Amino acid sequence: MPYYRLYSQNERGSFFRVMEIVVETDAAALASARDLEHSHPVEVWQQGRKVGVVHPGE
């Protein structure tokens, strides 16, 4: 099963928190990012591939 990294960004665009998860699909990784309590964008990456960005309220 692939692992993904979720990077939380602050208002300056710098990463301030990284979380690793193991899920089966890109959709599951994005859903996990949406489930986080966050007030900043969260970038979802799978190795060197950017899967997407989840913004607060999505």
Side-chain angles (χ1 to χ4, degrees), residues 1 7 10 15-16 19-21 30 32 38 49 51 53-54 57:
M1 216 181 303
Y7 294 93
N10 63 21
F15 297 125
F16 68 91
M19 180 179 183
E20 291 187 357
I21 60 172
L30 290 167
S32 294
H38 60 95
R49 180 176 63 90
V51 175
V53 178
V54 175

Side-chain angles (χ1 to χ4, degrees), residues 1-4 21-29 32 46 49:
M1 216 181 303
Y3 77 93
Y4 293 81
I21 60 172
V22 177
V23 293
E24 291 188 22
T25 65
D26 290 354
S32 294
Q46 196 264 328
R49 180 176 63 90

